[in-house]
Amino acid sequence: MNILKLFYRNLTQGPSTVAFPFGPAWTPPKLRGRIRFDLPACTGCRACEQVCAPGAIRFDKTPEGLRFMMWHNSCVFCGLCNFYCPTDAIVQSDDWHLAHPTARMYEMAIRELIPYTACSACGTKTLASAPNPVGVEPPFSAEEIEQFRHLCPGCRKKALEERTPNHAPTE
Amino acid sequence: MSNFTIPVGPLHVALEEPMYFRLDVQGETIAHVDIHAGHVHRGIEYLVTKRNVFQNVVLTERVCSLCSNSHPQAYAMAIERIAGIVVPPRAQYLRAVADEVKRVASHLFNVAILAHLVGFDALFMHVMEVRERMQDVKESVFGNRMDIGANAIGGVRYDIDAQGIGYLNQQLDAIDAEVVEIIDLYRTNGSILGRTRGIGVLPHADAVDCGVVGPVARAAGIDYDLRVKAPYTAYDRLDVTVHTLPDGDVWSRAMIRLYEARTAIGLIRQCLRDLPDGPTIDSRERPSIPAGEAIARCEAPRGELIYYVRMGDSPKPERVKWRVPSFMNWDALRIMLKEAKIADIAIIVNSIDPCISCTER
C-alpha cells in the first residue's frame, strides 16, 4: 500500500479519536469498572476479601455486626471478587468515572454493615447474612433467603436438612 | 577520530524502556557495550510469597502490561500441575484466544514503535490505530484494555457467546486486512528498509549461543516456538505456523512479528470455529492447593516464559520464580550493537522488544 493512499483515506474518513470530555466516550458493556455491592445478597463468606490482591476489601467484626469496607482507590479492577462471589453480591459495573478531588478521597469507599440479629428459632445472636447457595438443590427462593437470614448457623443446617432430606448439605 | 564513553538511558528520549547502556564509541561507531540493569526492580517475586495463590493471579498479571496474559497463564498452569487440576476443553480454547489477542496487540505495538524510531510517525500512528481495534476487542470481550484478567486457577474467567464470536470475527477481518497492508508497507517502504535492513544483525550461531527466544530467535533462523515444541492449552489441536527468516537483522524481527500477528489472527479464528461447549472453569469453588512444586512454560509475545512455583503448607507460595524472554534476548544486544552507529541504538534495542518490567520485576 502506498502511504499516500493512507493519507487520502484518513483525510476522507476523518479523525479516529473521540471528543471526550466534550462528547461521550464509547464504553463496552463488559467493561470492568467501579465495584457495586448488594448488601442483602452478601453471605459474609469473605471470599472476596481473601482473593482481593491489593487488599481493597476488608471485613471487620464490630459490636453491631460484620462491617464490609471496599476502597475504590485501592481497587485494581481485576474482578476476582465478582468471580468468586457465590451470590453476585459484589459485581463490577461499567462505570469508569472515578476521577475525584483529593478532598473527596475518603468518600471513595463502600461501607456497609451486616447487622446482628436474634435467631428466630433458638434466639442466639447471629449475623443476618444471606444463606450460602453453594450446593443447594433446588436453589433458594426469595422467601427462603429471608427465612434463612434470621437463623443461626446451627439452625440453618437443621433447616437445610429438613428441606432436602435426600441430599446431605454440602457447605 | 576520538574515543568517548557515552551513557544511553536509563531515561532517554529514544529508548522505550529504562535500560542503561554505557557505550564506548569511536567517532560514530560503538566499540563496546555495557548493559546495567535494575532500574525498575519492584520486588514482585518477594511480594508473591506474601499473597495467597488466588491473589497472585492478579499480581503476576501486573508484572508487565504487554505480556499480561502470559504471566498469570503460566502461573496458573504451574498451580494446576501441583494440584492436579484438569482445565476443561472450552477453557483451554479460551486461554488460547486470550493469548493470541494479546500477541496481536503486542506485536503491532512493537512494530509501530519501530516506525516511530525510524522517524516515520505517520506510519506509527496508522499501526497504532490498527492496534487500537485490538484494544477495543480486549475492552469489549475481557473488560480491560491491558490487564484482560482472562485466567483463573483451573480455567478462565470469561466466556464468549455467539454474539461475541460474531463481533470478534468481524474485528479480526478488519484487522487482518489492515495487517496485510502494513506488511506490504514494511516490505517495500524505502524509509523503513533503509533504517532496518542489515542493521543490528544477530547471526544464527550467535543466536544459538545466546539462547535467544521468541521472534528474535525466529528472525535469526531458529525454528523454535513453544506452541509447537511443547504445546499447552489448546495448541496441540491448532494448526500453528512458525515463521522464520534467515538474516537476523532489525527488519527480519519486525517482519516476523507482523507475520505472527497474522498467524495469531488465524489461530483466534480456528479457536472460535472449534470452540467446544462445556464449563469454562474446573470449579467455581476455590480449590485447595497441596504442597508441591511445578514448572510451566508458555510462549509469550516475546518468547518462552518459564514459571517455577513451590507450595508449602501455607496458602501462600514458598517460592515463585520466572525466567522471562527478554532476559535471554537482551544479552544478544551486545552482539547486535557491536560496530553499530549511535543513531541506530534505539532501533536495535527496540527490535528485541525489550520488556524491562518483566525482566527486573
Side-chain angles (χ1 to χ4, degrees):
Chain A
M1 181 183 63
N2 193 318
I3 195 75
L4 291 173
K5 205 175 111 192
L6 180 67
F7 286 163
Y8 176 74
R9 208 169 67 189
N10 285 347
L11 208 61
T12 50
Q13 286 180 354
S16 306
T17 47
V18 294
F20 186 81
F22 305 107
W26 169 77
T27 304
K30 273 195 180 177
L31 185 92
R32 301 201 311 266
R34 182 197 285 261
I35 297 290
R36 298 229 190 279
F37 182 65
D38 180 21
L39 179 67
C42 181
T43 66
C45 71
R46 301 173 81 155
C48 52
E49 183 189 32
Q50 283 159 28
V51 298
C52 183
I57 299 172
R58 219 174 87 185
F59 282 91
D60 289 305
K61 276 186 184 151
T62 67
E64 294 80 38
L66 187 63
R67 189 175 64 160
F68 170 88
M69 230 197 330
M70 188 266 151
W71 289 94
H72 293 299
N73 283 346
S74 301
C75 178
V76 296
F77 308 102
C78 67
L80 268 191
C81 51
N82 187 357
F83 184 74
Y84 284 113
C85 182
T87 55
D88 280 342
I90 192 160
V91 291
Q92 275 188 296
S93 65
D94 64 354
D95 177 14
W96 49 271
H97 299 278
L98 287 150
H100 60 91
T102 315
R104 284 192 51 212
M105 64 189 271
Y106 295 111
E107 295 165 38
M108 296 299 286
I110 302 172
R111 296 178 182 85
E112 296 278 11
L113 184 83
I114 306 173
Y116 282 122
T117 179
C119 174
S120 60
C122 67
T124 322
K125 185 171 131 182
T126 184
L127 276 178
S129 59
N132 191 343
V134 175
V136 176
E137 276 304 324
F140 286 120
S141 66
E143 295 81 48
E144 276 178 310
I145 289 175
E146 286 316 307
Q147 177 203 333
F148 272 73
R149 187 186 299 286
H150 298 286
L151 292 176
C152 70
C155 296
R156 279 185 192 194
K157 207 174 166 189
K158 238 182 275 166
L160 208 60
E161 275 164 8
E162 283 163 17
R163 180 178 182 261
T164 50
N166 302 328
H167 298 84
T170 46
E171 270 285 81
Chain B
M1 211 156 39
S2 40
N3 296 337
F4 288 102
T5 303
I6 58 164
V8 174
L11 298 171
H12 193 273
V13 279
L15 286 184
E16 302 303 325
E17 295 267 357
M19 289 171 99
Y20 170 40
F21 300 94
R22 228 183 94 153
L23 307 163
D24 295 328
V25 294
Q26 282 182 321
E28 278 284 302
T29 312
I30 299 163
H32 180 75
V33 188
D34 251 349
I35 305 176
H36 294 262
H39 300 94
V40 284
H41 174 70
R42 292 150 289 160
I44 297 185
E45 280 189 6
Y46 173 80
L47 291 177
V48 163
T49 61
K50 299 289 158 199
R51 279 165 176 75
N52 67 37
V53 168
F54 305 95
Q55 290 174 310
N56 284 332
V57 174
V58 176
L59 182 59
T60 51
E61 182 158 29
R62 278 144 183 87
V63 169
C64 158
S65 61
L66 284 163
C67 5
S68 68
N69 188 58
S70 305
H71 283 274
Q73 178 169 312
Y75 168 76
M77 286 187 331
I79 294 287
E80 284 150 12
R81 204 158 283 171
I82 292 173
I85 298 168
V86 179
V87 177
R90 186 177 177 86
Q92 291 181 358
Y93 275 83
L94 289 174
R95 276 190 176 176
V97 169
D99 221 14
E100 297 305 321
V101 163
K102 286 293 289 186
R103 198 183 312 279
V104 174
S106 174
H107 282 352
L108 286 179
F109 182 76
N110 177 261
V111 171
I113 299 288
L114 172 69
H116 167 64
L117 293 172
V118 163
F120 197 166
D121 274 340
L123 182 59
F124 161 69
M125 301 264 193
H126 176 63
V127 180
M128 288 302 267
E129 191 183 344
V130 175
R131 171 181 178 268
E132 196 57 30
R133 275 186 178 272
M134 213 36 148
Q135 298 299 89
D136 287 349
V137 166
K138 288 193 234 167
E139 226 176 335
S140 307
V141 177
F142 306 97
N144 193 297
R145 285 167 57 88
M146 292 311 284
D147 294 322
I148 60 176
N151 289 287
I153 307 291
V156 290
R157 283 195 259 151
Y158 79 105
D159 202 0
I160 308 183
D161 54 9
Q163 193 192 351
I165 290 174
Y167 166 77
L168 243 171
N169 274 324
Q170 175 205 338
Q171 290 288 315
L172 289 178
D173 289 345
I175 297 167
D176 196 30
E178 297 275 13
V179 173
V180 170
E181 288 189 344
I182 292 171
I183 289 177
D184 199 33
L185 252 169
Y186 277 79
R187 209 170 43 212
T188 55
N189 186 280
S191 307
I192 296 286
L193 292 177
R195 289 298 304 276
T196 59
R197 293 230 63 167
I199 304 292
V201 175
L202 181 69
H204 183 273
D206 289 319
V208 173
D209 279 353
C210 291
V212 294
V213 288
V216 179
R218 295 192 280 274
I222 300 173
D223 182 2
Y224 185 81
D225 191 320
L226 215 64
R227 294 173 291 172
V228 176
K229 296 283 180 196
Y232 53 98
T233 67
Y235 287 115
D236 55 343
R237 282 147 279 170
L238 299 172
D239 180 22
V240 187
T241 314
V242 181
H243 302 277
T244 55
L245 283 172
D247 296 339
D249 55 0
V250 172
W251 180 79
S252 302
R253 295 193 270 277
M255 292 315 284
I256 289 287
R257 293 199 177 94
L258 285 169
Y259 294 146
E260 285 187 2
R262 279 208 75 195
T263 305
I265 292 170
L267 286 171
I268 304 169
R269 286 202 184 113
Q270 285 182 47
C271 287
L272 295 178
R273 188 194 62 207
D274 302 341
L275 197 62
D277 289 330
T280 56
I281 190 154
D282 173 56
S283 159
R284 272 279 171 143
E285 293 286 279
R286 283 166 297 150
S288 64
I289 311 296
E293 58 182 353
I295 286 178
R297 302 187 292 168
C298 72
E299 182 79 17
R302 282 152 194 75
E304 181 186 28
L305 172 70
I306 307 174
Y307 258 72
Y308 165 78
V309 180
R310 188 173 73 228
M311 293 295 299
D313 298 328
S314 128
K316 295 169 183 169
E318 273 183 9
R319 178 81 171 107
V320 181
K321 156 91 183 144
W322 50 97
R323 208 288 318 270
V324 301
S326 293
F327 180 74
M328 304 308 286
N329 291 341
W330 76 0
D331 204 36
L333 279 177
R334 287 174 220 277
I335 293 153
M336 296 178 197
L337 286 170
K338 207 154 220 173
E339 305 299 315
K341 295 278 180 279
I342 292 177
D344 291 333
I345 293 172
I347 289 178
I348 294 171
V349 172
N350 178 68
S351 76
I352 68 158
D353 203 356
C355 186
I356 308 303
S357 58
C358 285
T359 316
E360 298 179 346
R361 55 251 186 195

Coordinates of all heavy atoms in Angstrom, one line a residue, chain A residues 11-65:
Chain A
L11 N -7.8 11.4 5.3 CA -8.4 12.7 5.0 C -9.9 12.6 4.8 O -10.7 13.4 5.3 CB -7.7 13.3 3.8 CG -7.6 14.8 3.7 CD1 -6.8 15.3 4.9 CD2 -6.9 15.2 2.4
T12 N -10.3 11.6 4.1 CA -11.7 11.4 3.7 C -12.5 10.8 4.9 O -13.7 11.2 5.1 CB -11.9 10.5 2.5 OG1 -11.2 9.3 2.7 CG2 -11.4 11.2 1.2
Q13 N -11.9 10.0 5.7 CA -12.6 9.3 6.8 C -12.7 10.2 8.1 O -13.5 9.9 8.9 CB -12.0 8.0 7.2 CG -12.3 6.9 6.1 CD -11.7 5.6 6.5 OE1 -10.9 5.5 7.4 NE2 -11.9 4.6 5.6
G14 N -11.8 11.1 8.2 CA -11.9 12.0 9.4 C -11.2 11.3 10.5 O -10.7 10.2 10.4
P15 N -11.1 12.0 11.7 CA -10.4 11.5 12.8 C -11.0 10.3 13.4 O -12.2 10.0 13.4 CB -10.4 12.7 13.8 CG -11.6 13.6 13.4 CD -11.8 13.4 11.9
S16 N -10.1 9.5 14.0 CA -10.5 8.2 14.7 C -10.7 8.4 16.2 O -11.2 7.6 16.9 CB -9.4 7.2 14.6 OG -9.1 7.0 13.2
T17 N -10.3 9.6 16.7 CA -10.4 9.8 18.1 C -11.8 10.3 18.5 O -12.6 10.7 17.6 CB -9.4 10.9 18.6 OG1 -9.5 12.0 17.7 CG2 -8.0 10.4 18.5
V18 N -12.2 10.2 19.8 CA -13.4 10.7 20.2 C -13.2 12.1 20.9 O -12.1 12.4 21.3 CB -14.1 9.7 21.2 CG1 -14.5 8.5 20.5 CG2 -13.3 9.5 22.4
A19 N -14.3 12.8 21.1 CA -14.2 14.2 21.6 C -14.2 14.3 23.1 O -14.3 15.4 23.6 CB -15.4 15.0 21.0
F20 N -14.1 13.1 23.8 CA -14.2 13.2 25.3 C -13.2 14.2 25.8 O -12.1 14.2 25.3 CB -13.9 11.8 25.8 CG -14.1 11.7 27.3 CD1 -15.3 11.5 27.8 CD2 -13.0 11.7 28.1 CE1 -15.5 11.5 29.2 CE2 -13.2 11.7 29.5 CZ -14.4 11.5 30.0
P21 N -13.4 15.0 26.8 CA -14.7 15.1 27.6 C -15.8 15.9 27.1 O -16.8 16.2 27.8 CB -14.1 15.7 28.9 CG -13.0 16.6 28.5 CD -12.4 15.9 27.3
F22 N -15.6 16.4 25.8 CA -16.7 17.3 25.3 C -17.8 16.5 24.6 O -18.8 17.0 24.2 CB -16.1 18.3 24.3 CG -15.0 19.1 25.0 CD1 -13.6 18.9 24.7 CD2 -15.3 20.0 26.0 CE1 -12.6 19.6 25.4 CE2 -14.3 20.7 26.7 CZ -13.0 20.5 26.3
G23 N -17.5 15.2 24.4 CA -18.5 14.3 23.8 C -18.5 13.0 24.6 O -17.7 12.8 25.4
P24 N -19.5 12.1 24.3 CA -19.5 10.8 25.0 C -18.3 9.9 24.6 O -17.9 10.0 23.5 CB -20.8 10.2 24.6 CG -21.2 10.9 23.3 CD -20.5 12.2 23.3
A25 N -17.9 9.1 25.5 CA -16.8 8.1 25.2 C -17.5 6.8 25.1 O -18.3 6.4 26.0 CB -15.7 8.2 26.3
W26 N -17.1 6.0 24.1 CA -17.6 4.7 24.0 C -17.2 3.8 25.1 O -16.0 3.7 25.5 CB -17.1 4.1 22.6 CG -17.4 2.7 22.5 CD1 -18.6 2.1 22.1 CD2 -16.5 1.6 22.6 NE1 -18.5 0.7 22.0 CE2 -17.2 0.4 22.3 CE3 -15.1 1.5 22.9 CZ2 -16.6 -0.9 22.3 CZ3 -14.5 0.2 22.9 CH2 -15.3 -0.9 22.7
T27 N -18.2 3.1 25.7 CA -17.9 2.2 26.8 C -18.5 0.8 26.5 O -19.8 0.8 26.4 CB -18.5 2.7 28.1 OG1 -17.9 4.0 28.4 CG2 -18.1 1.8 29.3
P28 N -17.7 -0.2 26.4 CA -18.4 -1.6 26.2 C -19.1 -2.0 27.4 O -18.7 -1.7 28.6 CB -17.2 -2.5 25.9 CG -16.0 -1.8 26.5 CD -16.3 -0.3 26.5
P29 N -20.2 -2.7 27.3 CA -21.0 -3.2 28.4 C -20.2 -4.1 29.4 O -20.5 -4.1 30.6 CB -22.2 -3.9 27.8 CG -22.0 -3.8 26.3 CD -20.8 -3.2 26.0
K30 N -19.2 -4.8 28.9 CA -18.5 -5.7 29.7 C -17.3 -5.1 30.5 O -16.6 -5.8 31.2 CB -17.9 -6.9 28.9 CG -18.9 -8.1 28.7 CD -18.1 -9.3 28.2 CE -19.0 -10.4 28.0 NZ -18.2 -11.6 27.4
L31 N -17.2 -3.8 30.3 CA -16.0 -3.1 30.9 C -16.0 -3.4 32.4 O -17.0 -3.3 33.1 CB -16.1 -1.6 30.7 CG -14.9 -0.8 31.2 CD1 -13.8 -0.7 30.1 CD2 -15.2 0.5 31.8
R32 N -14.8 -3.7 32.9 CA -14.7 -4.0 34.4 C -14.4 -2.7 35.1 O -13.2 -2.2 35.1 CB -13.6 -5.0 34.6 CG -13.8 -6.3 33.9 CD -13.1 -7.5 34.6 NE -11.7 -7.1 34.8 CZ -10.7 -7.4 34.0 NH1 -10.9 -8.1 32.9 NH2 -9.5 -7.0 34.3
G33 N -15.4 -2.0 35.7 CA -15.2 -0.7 36.3 C -15.6 -0.8 37.8 O -15.3 -1.8 38.5
R34 N -16.2 0.3 38.3 CA -16.5 0.5 39.7 C -17.2 -0.6 40.3 O -18.2 -1.1 39.7 CB -17.3 1.8 39.8 CG -17.6 2.2 41.3 CD -18.7 3.2 41.3 NE -18.3 4.5 40.9 CZ -18.0 5.5 41.8 NH1 -18.1 5.3 43.0 NH2 -17.6 6.7 41.3
I35 N -16.8 -1.0 41.5 CA -17.5 -2.1 42.2 C -18.8 -1.7 42.8 O -18.9 -0.5 43.3 CB -16.6 -2.6 43.4 CG1 -15.2 -3.1 42.9 CG2 -17.3 -3.5 44.3 CD1 -15.3 -4.4 42.2
R36 N -19.8 -2.5 42.7 CA -21.1 -2.3 43.3 C -21.4 -3.4 44.3 O -21.0 -4.6 44.1 CB -22.2 -2.2 42.3 CG -22.1 -1.1 41.3 CD -23.3 -0.4 41.1 NE -23.2 0.5 40.0 CZ -22.6 1.7 40.0 NH1 -22.1 2.2 41.1 NH2 -22.6 2.5 38.9
F37 N -21.9 -3.1 45.4 CA -22.1 -4.0 46.5 C -23.6 -4.1 46.8 O -24.3 -3.1 47.1 CB -21.3 -3.7 47.7 CG -21.4 -4.6 48.9 CD1 -21.0 -5.9 48.7 CD2 -22.0 -4.3 50.1 CE1 -21.1 -6.8 49.8 CE2 -22.1 -5.2 51.1 CZ -21.6 -6.4 51.0
D38 N -24.1 -5.3 46.9 CA -25.6 -5.5 47.2 C -25.6 -6.2 48.5 O -25.5 -7.4 48.6 CB -26.1 -6.4 46.0 CG -27.6 -6.7 46.3 OD1 -28.3 -5.9 47.0 OD2 -28.1 -7.7 45.7
L39 N -25.8 -5.4 49.6 CA -25.8 -5.9 50.9 C -26.7 -7.1 51.2 O -26.3 -8.1 51.8 CB -26.0 -4.8 51.9 CG -26.0 -5.2 53.4 CD1 -24.6 -5.6 53.8 CD2 -26.5 -4.0 54.3
P40 N -28.0 -7.0 50.8 CA -28.9 -8.2 51.1 C -28.4 -9.5 50.6 O -28.8 -10.6 51.1 CB -30.2 -7.7 50.5 CG -30.2 -6.3 50.4 CD -28.7 -5.9 50.1
A41 N -27.6 -9.5 49.5 CA -27.2 -10.8 48.9 C -26.0 -11.3 49.5 O -25.6 -12.5 49.3 CB -27.0 -10.6 47.4
C42 N -25.3 -10.5 50.3 CA -24.0 -10.9 50.9 C -24.1 -12.0 51.9 O -25.0 -11.9 52.8 CB -23.2 -9.7 51.5 SG -21.6 -10.2 52.1
T43 N -23.4 -13.1 51.8 CA -23.4 -14.2 52.7 C -22.4 -14.1 53.8 O -22.4 -14.8 54.8 CB -23.2 -15.6 52.0 OG1 -21.8 -15.6 51.6 CG2 -24.1 -15.8 50.9
G44 N -21.5 -13.1 53.7 CA -20.5 -12.9 54.7 C -19.4 -13.9 54.7 O -18.8 -14.2 55.7
C45 N -19.3 -14.6 53.5 CA -18.3 -15.7 53.4 C -16.9 -15.2 53.4 O -15.9 -15.9 53.5 CB -18.6 -16.6 52.3 SG -18.3 -15.9 50.7
R46 N -16.7 -13.9 53.0 CA -15.4 -13.2 53.0 C -14.5 -13.8 51.9 O -13.3 -13.6 51.9 CB -14.7 -13.3 54.3 CG -15.5 -12.7 55.4 CD -15.0 -12.9 56.8 NE -13.9 -11.9 57.0 CZ -13.5 -11.5 58.2 NH1 -14.1 -12.0 59.3 NH2 -12.5 -10.7 58.4
A47 N -15.0 -14.5 50.8 CA -14.2 -14.9 49.7 C -13.6 -13.8 49.0 O -12.4 -13.8 48.6 CB -15.1 -15.8 48.8
C48 N -14.4 -12.7 48.8 CA -13.9 -11.5 48.1 C -12.7 -10.9 48.8 O -11.7 -10.5 48.2 CB -15.0 -10.5 47.9 SG -15.8 -10.0 49.5
E49 N -12.7 -10.9 50.1 CA -11.6 -10.3 50.9 C -10.4 -11.2 50.7 O -9.3 -10.6 50.6 CB -12.0 -10.3 52.4 CG -11.0 -9.6 53.3 CD -11.3 -9.8 54.8 OE1 -11.9 -10.9 55.1 OE2 -11.0 -9.0 55.6
Q50 N -10.6 -12.5 50.7 CA -9.4 -13.4 50.6 C -8.7 -13.3 49.2 O -7.5 -13.5 49.1 CB -9.8 -14.8 50.9 CG -10.0 -15.0 52.4 CD -10.8 -16.2 52.8 OE1 -10.9 -17.1 52.0 NE2 -11.5 -16.1 53.9
V51 N -9.5 -13.1 48.1 CA -8.9 -13.1 46.8 C -8.5 -11.7 46.4 O -7.8 -11.5 45.3 CB -9.8 -13.7 45.7 CG1 -10.1 -15.1 46.0 CG2 -11.1 -12.9 45.6
C52 N -8.8 -10.6 47.1 CA -8.5 -9.3 46.7 C -7.0 -9.0 46.8 O -6.5 -8.9 48.0 CB -9.3 -8.3 47.6 SG -9.0 -6.6 47.0
A53 N -6.3 -8.9 45.7 CA -4.9 -8.8 45.7 C -4.4 -7.5 46.4 O -3.4 -7.5 47.1 CB -4.3 -9.0 44.3
P54 N -5.0 -6.3 46.1 CA -4.5 -5.1 46.7 C -5.0 -4.8 48.1 O -4.7 -3.8 48.7 CB -5.0 -4.0 45.7 CG -6.2 -4.6 45.1 CD -6.1 -6.0 45.1
G55 N -5.9 -5.7 48.6 CA -6.4 -5.5 49.9 C -7.4 -4.4 50.0 O -7.5 -3.7 51.0
A56 N -8.2 -4.2 48.9 CA -9.2 -3.1 48.9 C -10.4 -3.5 49.6 O -11.2 -2.6 50.0 CB -9.5 -2.8 47.4
I57 N -10.6 -4.8 49.8 CA -11.9 -5.2 50.5 C -11.5 -5.7 51.9 O -10.5 -6.4 52.1 CB -12.5 -6.4 49.8 CG1 -12.9 -5.9 48.4 CG2 -13.7 -6.9 50.5 CD1 -13.4 -7.0 47.5
R58 N -12.2 -5.2 52.9 CA -12.0 -5.6 54.3 C -13.3 -5.9 55.0 O -14.2 -5.1 54.9 CB -11.2 -4.6 55.0 CG -10.1 -5.1 55.9 CD -9.2 -4.0 56.4 NE -9.8 -3.5 57.7 CZ -9.3 -2.4 58.3 NH1 -8.2 -1.8 57.8 NH2 -9.8 -2.0 59.4
F59 N -13.3 -6.9 55.8 CA -14.4 -7.2 56.7 C -13.9 -7.0 58.2 O -12.8 -7.5 58.5 CB -14.9 -8.6 56.6 CG -15.8 -8.9 55.4 CD1 -15.3 -9.2 54.2 CD2 -17.2 -8.7 55.5 CE1 -16.1 -9.4 53.1 CE2 -18.0 -8.9 54.4 CZ -17.4 -9.3 53.2
D60 N -14.7 -6.3 59.0 CA -14.3 -6.2 60.4 C -15.5 -6.6 61.3 O -16.6 -6.2 61.0 CB -14.0 -4.7 60.7 CG -12.7 -4.3 60.1 OD1 -11.7 -4.9 60.3 OD2 -12.7 -3.3 59.3
K61 N -15.2 -7.3 62.4 CA -16.3 -7.6 63.3 C -16.4 -6.4 64.2 O -15.5 -5.9 64.8 CB -15.9 -8.8 64.1 CG -16.3 -10.1 63.4 CD -16.1 -11.3 64.2 CE -16.4 -12.5 63.4 NZ -15.6 -13.7 63.8
T62 N -17.6 -5.8 64.3 CA -17.9 -4.7 65.2 C -19.0 -5.1 66.2 O -19.7 -6.1 65.9 CB -18.4 -3.4 64.4 OG1 -19.6 -3.7 63.9 CG2 -17.4 -3.1 63.3
P63 N -19.3 -4.4 67.2 CA -20.4 -4.7 68.1 C -21.7 -4.8 67.4 O -22.6 -5.5 67.9 CB -20.4 -3.6 69.2 CG -19.0 -3.0 69.1 CD -18.5 -3.2 67.7
E64 N -21.9 -4.0 66.3 CA -23.2 -4.0 65.6 C -23.3 -5.2 64.6 O -24.4 -5.5 64.2 CB -23.4 -2.7 64.9 CG -23.5 -1.5 65.8 CD -22.2 -1.0 66.2 OE1 -21.2 -1.0 65.5 OE2 -22.1 -0.6 67.4
G65 N -22.2 -5.7 64.1 CA -22.3 -6.7 63.1 C -21.0 -6.9 62.4 O -19.9 -6.5 62.9

